[in-house]
C-alpha cells in the first residue's frame, strides 16, 4: 500500500494548489491513505508573525476543509487530519490542548528551529556543534512526549564540521527513536530537489541501528504526489540498507 502523511497546503505560504487537488492527485497516484500535515500554527507569547506556517485563525478552516474532503472521497481514499509540529518546549502545553480540542488525528515532528522560530535560528543551514546538540536534544524531548507519530526529515540539521561527532549524536537519535518505536522519514522533497538531506551518512547510521523508516513525499504541490519514479528509487535504496519500511502511522486517538 502506498501512503503519505506529509502533505502541505497553501496556508503555509510556500505550498500551492487547492486541498482537493492534493486528494485528486493522491487518488491518481494510487495512494490509499493520505495525511494532511500542514505546518502547525503556534500561540506565540510575542507579536511574532511567521511566514512559513498557517496563522492560528486558519486552523479551524483547515480542519473543516480536510474533513469535508475526507467525507466526499471516503469511498476512494482514507484521509487523516494532521499537523507538522516542532518541539517548542514553552508552547507544548498549548499544542497538547489544541490537538485534543480539535480532534487532530496525528502530528509529525518537523524540527526546524532552535527553541522557536521567533529566534530565527534554522537548523537546516550550517550550525555549530552546540546547535547540533540542541537539535538532537529537542528531538529526544519530542519523542518523550509520546505525541509525535514519526520524525520528518531527521537529517535536515546541517552539521558537517566533525564526522565523528555527527555519527555519535545521530546514533543517539537513531537508538532513542528505535527504543520508542518512532519511525524516521526518508524525505522525497529533499531527495528530488537535491537538498543536503536525505543524507547517506545518516541513513547508514539508521541502517546500523535497525530503525523503522517511512517515506514522506513532503508534498508542496499536488503533482508532487505523482512522483512514482522517485518513490520507487527511495524504496529500493532503503531496502538495500535493510531498513524496514512502514506505511501507517500511530494516531492520537
Amino acid at each position: 500500500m502506498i501512503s503519505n502523511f506529509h502533505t502541505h497546503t497553501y496556508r503555509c505560504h510556500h505550498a500551492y494548489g487547492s486541498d482537493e487537488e492534493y486528494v485528486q492527485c493522491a487518488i491518481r497516484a494510487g495512494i490509499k491513505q493520505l495525511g494532511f500535515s500542514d505546518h502547525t500554527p503556534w500561540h506565540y507569547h510575542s507579536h511574532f508573525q511567521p511566514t512559513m506556517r498557517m496563522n492560528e485563525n486558519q486552523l479551524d478552516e483547515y480542519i473543516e476543509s480536510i474533513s469535508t474532503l475526507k467525507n466526499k472521497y471516503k469511498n476512494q481514499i482514507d484521509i487523516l487530519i494532521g499537523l507538522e509540529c516542532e518541539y517548542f518546549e514553552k508552547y507544548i502545553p498549548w499544542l497538547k490542548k489544541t490537538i485534543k480540542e480539535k480532534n487532530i488525528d496525528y502530528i509529525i515532528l518537523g524540527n526546524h528551529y532552535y527553541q522557536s522560530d521567533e529566534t530565527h535560528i534554522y537548523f537546516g543551514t550550517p550550525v555549530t556543534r552546540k546547535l547540533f546538540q540542541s537539535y538532537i536534544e529537542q528531538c529526544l524531548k519530542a519523542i518523550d512526549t509520546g505525541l509525535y507519530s514519526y520524525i520528518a526529515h531527521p537529517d535536515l540539521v546541517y552539521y558537517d564540521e566533525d564526522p565523528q561527532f555527527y555519527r555519535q549524536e545521530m546514533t543517539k537519535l537513531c537508538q532513542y527513536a528505535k527504543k520508542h518505536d518512532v519511525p524516521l522519514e526518508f524525505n522525497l522533497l529533499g531527495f528530488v530537489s537535491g537538498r543536503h538531506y536525505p543524507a547517506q551518512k545518516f541513513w547508514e547510521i539508521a541502517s546500523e541501528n535497525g530503525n523503522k523508516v517511512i517515506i514522506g513525499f513532503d508534498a508542496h504541490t499536488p503533482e508532487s504526489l505523482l512522483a512514482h519514479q522517485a518513490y520507487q528509487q527511495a524504496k529500493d535504496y532503503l531496502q538495500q540498507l535493510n531498513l524496514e519500511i512502514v506505511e501507517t502511522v500511530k494516531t492520537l486517538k
Side-chain angles (χ1 to χ4, degrees), residues 2 51 60 64 73 107 130 135 143 146 183 198 224-225 248 253:
I2 300 177
T51 58
D60 286 341
E64 181 181 356
Y73 290 94
I107 64 173
K130 185 176 180 180
Y135 174 86
I143 291 172
S224 60
L225 293 170
T248 59
K253 301 173 183 178

Side-chain angles (χ1 to χ4, degrees), residues 164-178:
Q164 184 176 351
F165 187 66
Y166 178 92
R167 167 170 283 275
Q168 170 190 306
E169 292 300 301
M170 285 305 204
T171 297
K172 184 189 302 182
L173 173 58
C174 288
Q175 290 178 345
Y176 207 71
K178 182 179 181 181

